[in-house]
Amino acid sequence: MANKIYTVNKIIRMQHCDPGGVVFTPQYFNLFVEAIEDWFREGIGFGFSQMVSRDHQGIPAMKIVAKFYKPSKLGDILEFRVKVKRLRRQNILIHVEALCEQERRCSGDFLHGFASLKSLSLTDWPQDIYRKLEEYL
């Protein structure tokens, strides 16, 4: 296995901040989800638009555990790193951490199922997608 890590930079904008220019904690979840969505599109080649609109599948959240280490401020550029901690037939545990100039700001573990939007039940990952996800394990 390659043990890849996907990285994407996100600038902290006013929309992420409280009036004092510090990231409002719930906004980190939007940034985490953006990083995961970018990874699926760019790293896995299975963007959410294809997954949801064309294939009628999705990755519902099943459990989220987040940790916050140090505040981020307006104008900071956070490097989000995405990797797979565990991969099963019908779910995935994704670890995302954000750093600013090598200083860890926050991290989260996101357990997502893989589901059919038609039956609203979990289903197996397509084999080709499963193999691509394994590269980040």
Side-chain angles (χ1 to χ4, degrees):
M1 303 276 164
N3 296 325
K4 290 182 181 178
I5 296 174
Y6 174 79
T7 61
V8 62
N9 290 333
K10 303 282 180 187
I11 188 166
I12 297 303
R13 301 178 186 280
M14 194 64 216
Q15 71 185 23
H16 302 124
C17 297
D18 64 20
V22 176
V23 173
F24 183 52
T25 303
Q27 288 294 337
Y28 277 118
F29 290 94
N30 291 326
L31 292 162
F32 284 139
V33 170
E34 279 184 28
I36 292 170
E37 186 173 350
D38 291 344
W39 171 59
F40 265 91
R41 186 184 68 253
E42 297 171 6
I44 304 302
F46 191 44
F48 284 11
S49 61
Q50 173 189 341
M51 185 189 306
V52 174
S53 299
R54 192 193 79 193
D55 296 349
H56 307 289
Q57 297 168 320
I59 58 164
M62 299 169 72
K63 182 178 180 180
I64 299 171
V65 177
K67 296 179 182 175
F68 304 95
Y69 307 102
K70 188 168 181 186
S72 296
K73 296 180 179 174
L74 183 63
D76 283 350
I77 297 174
L78 301 185
E79 177 186 64
F80 284 80
R81 297 177 179 173
V82 180
K83 66 181 180 181
V84 176
K85 285 181 85 170
R86 188 180 71 224
L87 180 62
R88 299 271 162 56
R89 279 184 318 113
Q90 298 183 344
N91 65 54
I92 186 170
L93 182 60
I94 302 168
H95 180 74
V96 182
E97 66 178 349
L99 298 96
C100 183
E101 299 177 1
Q102 301 303 313
E103 178 181 65
R104 190 164 56 168
R105 298 293 176 85
C106 59
S107 65
D109 288 331
F110 298 81
L111 179 62
H112 285 277
F114 185 65
S116 162
L117 297 179
K118 291 178 182 176
S119 67
L120 297 178
S121 61
L122 295 181
T123 188
D124 291 355
W125 293 101
Q127 269 308 118
D128 58 327
I129 301 303
Y130 188 91
R131 282 191 293 276
K132 290 176 185 175
L133 293 169
E134 279 184 312
E135 294 176 16
Y136 292 87
L137 192 56

